[in-house]
Amino acid sequence: MRAKVLLMALAIAATCAAKDIKTVVLTTNPEMHCMGCEKKIKENIRFEKGIKDIKTNLEDKTVTIVYDADKTNVEAIIAAFKKISYEASEVKK
């Protein structure tokens, strides 16, 4: 019986702690065209609140960001790009 109660409590705690993780794909202006651009973006944007992961694709010139929507949003991420002299826009699917 104690094991069932403990298991139920853990299940409830896990549900309450669930985060709202989202992904956004962005393009930049000026375009990300070299490893220097890629490094600048990754090293600066990763410190923004709520950012979980950043993947860049030089071929497609896109930045894919995984973030916690409880801590940030797309508008705040785009504003972070402005701080490092890039205009970012969301790639609509």
Side-chain angles (χ1 to χ4, degrees):
M1 183 66 173
R2 282 180 73 188
K4 284 184 182 181
V5 172
L6 181 58
L7 186 59
M8 186 180 253
L10 287 173
I12 291 170
T15 303
C16 292
K19 294 184 179 189
D20 187 11
I21 304 299
K22 295 187 178 183
T23 302
V24 64
V25 179
L26 304 166
T27 57
T28 63
N29 184 22
E31 287 185 334
M32 179 182 59
H33 65 279
C34 67
M35 288 173 41
C37 299
E38 183 179 44
K39 182 178 178 184
K40 180 179 181 179
I41 289 169
K42 283 183 173 180
E43 287 184 353
N44 288 280
I45 301 300
R46 71 185 174 128
F47 291 110
E48 292 298 319
K49 183 178 179 181
I51 301 296
K52 299 295 180 190
D53 189 37
I54 302 171
K55 290 191 170 85
T56 54
N57 185 323
L58 285 174
E59 188 175 308
D60 293 341
K61 299 180 180 3
T62 59
V63 181
T64 303
I65 298 178
V66 178
Y67 65 97
D68 183 346
D70 293 331
K71 295 182 179 179
T72 192
N73 57 43
V74 174
E75 292 78 20
I77 294 169
I78 289 172
F81 275 86
K82 286 184 180 183
K83 293 179 196 175
I84 58 170
S85 302
Y86 282 94
E87 294 291 325
S89 57
E90 186 174 0
V91 175
K92 299 293 183 180
K93 294 179 183 181

